Amino acid sequence: MQLIKRKEGEEQPFWPLGPFQIRLPFIHYRWEAAEMLQGTIMFVVGLAMIPLLEKNLGIPYEAALAFTFIAGLLYTLPALLGVPLVPGWITPAIPVVLVYLNGFEPGPEAIQALFVLQLEVALIFFILGITRLGSKLVEIIPNSLKSGIIIGAGIAALMGELKVGGRIDGTPISLILGAIISAYLLFSLSFKNLTLTHPIARKIASFGMVPGMIMAMLIGWAVAEYPLPDIQWGITQPNFSLMSEFLVFNIGLPNWETYLIAIPTAIIAYVIAFGDIVIGFTLVKRIDHLRPDEKIDMNVDRVHLVTAIRNFIHSLIAPWPGLAGPLWTAAHATVAERYALGRKSMDSIYSGGGTFWVTGLIALFILPLVSLFKPVLPIALSLTLILTAYICIMVGMEQLKTSVERGVAGIVAVTLAMPDPKSTIFAVIIGLVLYFIIERPQLLKKPEVAETKHVPETESA
């Protein structure tokens, strides 16, 4: 229960604070049991960043664990400040970020480079948010380019798992079966029909990604693709003192050349994150009409400002290889699906996302949970990437209305998914060129506001 309840058809109650809307659990929104269970399991995905911190930045485990606590705290900001999206990393950008970091020696040099990158990402989000150019981008960017970026990000995330040397080589059974089970429970039409008539199926569906994730972990242990856990008892003790030794305040600021080198990667990260924003609000719009009891404020500029704050704090006290993204696609999709079931299932879109990450933050302190999931962190990350890929492709395809748009989006997607750190910039350029020379009915004039009538295509002989 919450102290302040929403009236039918209005926004969820909040305290206004400038461009933000403050919402606190138990005061402005109720605690959701299903999201609490999901957060208790899904927090392990955040821990999966620890191996990257160790390998690419040269940070020891105890300090890297402290970094995850900072990330866990910042995951709670969007629901707190009025963003109806479940936040996460800029996941499809991770391969590009790692290519960028590979140009620096692990240790102080790589930490400085990541500090610069995340600071520049924060600056991009802040400028576009404070000037309200972020919301205008949603309107002015061609539909084919937006969809192509979304689809291409999904393909890139999927290929990272399926490529030679990817995780599928080392753990094929748990990864393939886990992905199939998760996809069936989340997206299958036959399973959705089961939820209409079988209470057990409906209960399983209410837990989102958790059943598939647990099954994948159990399979991984059963077939010995992952070692059994060494469960420890007590409270997790991250070493914040050691963490401070790996921050720019102690290792020194980078030179100006590093700032210049980071700019292309920062732009790439923003373009991908912009696609995440489009996906997030598209998922909300898909189910919004099913919930007339709540008015959702889908403010793109607020998303930009909150994401800027998260990246800025990360850059200073916990540089994060995954960066701070506006959307955890797979988790947000499961929250949105349960939200669509009605107010009894989830009171508010904010109560779902808020409960999820507050629980995730609390779970980081529970040592038995952290030690239990430590051996299977890779499968949690892999399933997140695979489900993200499916959702990206699904949502991107939904937005394409004509064969011309589909053709341009396909070229953009394939270009973006190429294993080259510059592929995103090339994809944007190619998408804009193709839009102007192929899609526009008049090359040098502004397109009419009214939609053009569909012209049947002739079949080639």
Side-chain angles (χ1 to χ4, degrees), residues 148-379:
I149 290 173
I150 293 170
I151 296 169
I155 295 173
L158 183 62
M159 295 308 296
E161 298 302 307
L162 302 181
K163 68 181 181 181
V164 176
R167 262 181 285 269
I168 196 169
D169 281 353
T171 57
I173 299 175
S174 57
L175 183 55
I176 293 173
L177 292 181
I180 291 173
I181 294 169
S182 297
Y184 176 74
L185 296 179
L186 287 173
F187 308 118
S188 169
L189 295 178
S190 62
F191 184 73
K192 285 185 178 180
N193 287 331
L194 283 177
T195 63
L196 299 177
T197 55
H198 293 76
I200 295 177
R202 192 157 51 246
K203 193 68 175 177
I204 292 173
S206 69
F207 293 125
M209 292 177 62
V210 171
M213 188 79 70
I214 291 176
M215 288 299 298
M217 293 174 177
L218 292 176
I219 292 169
W221 282 322
V223 300
E225 288 184 345
Y226 291 99
L228 293 174
D230 176 21
I231 299 178
Q232 303 172 25
W233 301 97
I235 298 175
T236 310
Q237 297 181 343
N239 195 330
F240 290 100
S241 177
L242 180 62
M243 181 189 80
S244 66
E245 297 179 11
F246 296 91
L247 304 180
V248 290
F249 304 110
N250 286 321
I251 64 176
L253 293 172
N255 55 42
W256 284 106
E257 183 181 357
T258 307
Y259 288 87
L260 296 176
I261 294 173
I263 290 175
T265 307
I267 294 173
I268 290 170
Y270 173 77
V271 171
I272 294 174
F274 176 79
D276 283 343
I277 295 174
V278 174
I279 291 174
F281 282 134
T282 300
L283 290 171
V284 173
K285 289 175 183 176
R286 290 178 70 206
I287 48 89
D288 188 37
H289 69 283
L290 301 174
R291 293 289 304 271
D293 59 284
E294 179 177 12
K295 179 182 177 182
I296 302 175
D297 182 11
M298 290 179 271
N299 190 310
V300 175
D301 300 314
R302 187 181 301 133
V303 178
H304 277 73
L305 291 175
V306 174
T307 308
I309 293 171
R310 291 174 58 219
N311 277 289
F312 178 71
I313 295 174
H314 259 302
S315 69
L316 294 179
I317 61 177
W320 198 245
L323 305 176
L327 183 75
W328 181 358
T329 309
H332 179 70
T334 61
V335 168
E337 288 292 324
R338 217 174 71 78
Y339 177 76
L341 298 177
R343 192 166 185 176
K344 288 185 178 180
S345 294
M346 184 185 297
D347 181 57
S348 167
I349 194 74
Y350 300 99
S351 63
T355 301
F356 181 90
W357 271 127
V358 172
T359 303
L361 176 61
I362 295 171
L364 285 171
F365 289 92
I366 305 175
L367 184 57
L369 281 177
V370 174
S371 57
L372 171 66
F373 294 121
K374 186 178 178 181
V376 288
L377 291 180
I379 195 70

Side-chain angles (χ1 to χ4, degrees), residues 52-95:
L52 299 184
L53 290 166
E54 292 176 312
K55 177 182 177 182
N56 296 90
L57 300 187
I59 296 175
Y61 176 83
E62 294 77 10
L65 184 61
F67 276 46
T68 66
F69 276 81
I70 301 300
L73 181 63
L74 294 178
Y75 291 140
T76 66
L77 279 188
L80 173 67
L81 297 179
V83 174
L85 306 178
V86 179
W89 311 332
I90 308 180
T91 308
I94 291 176

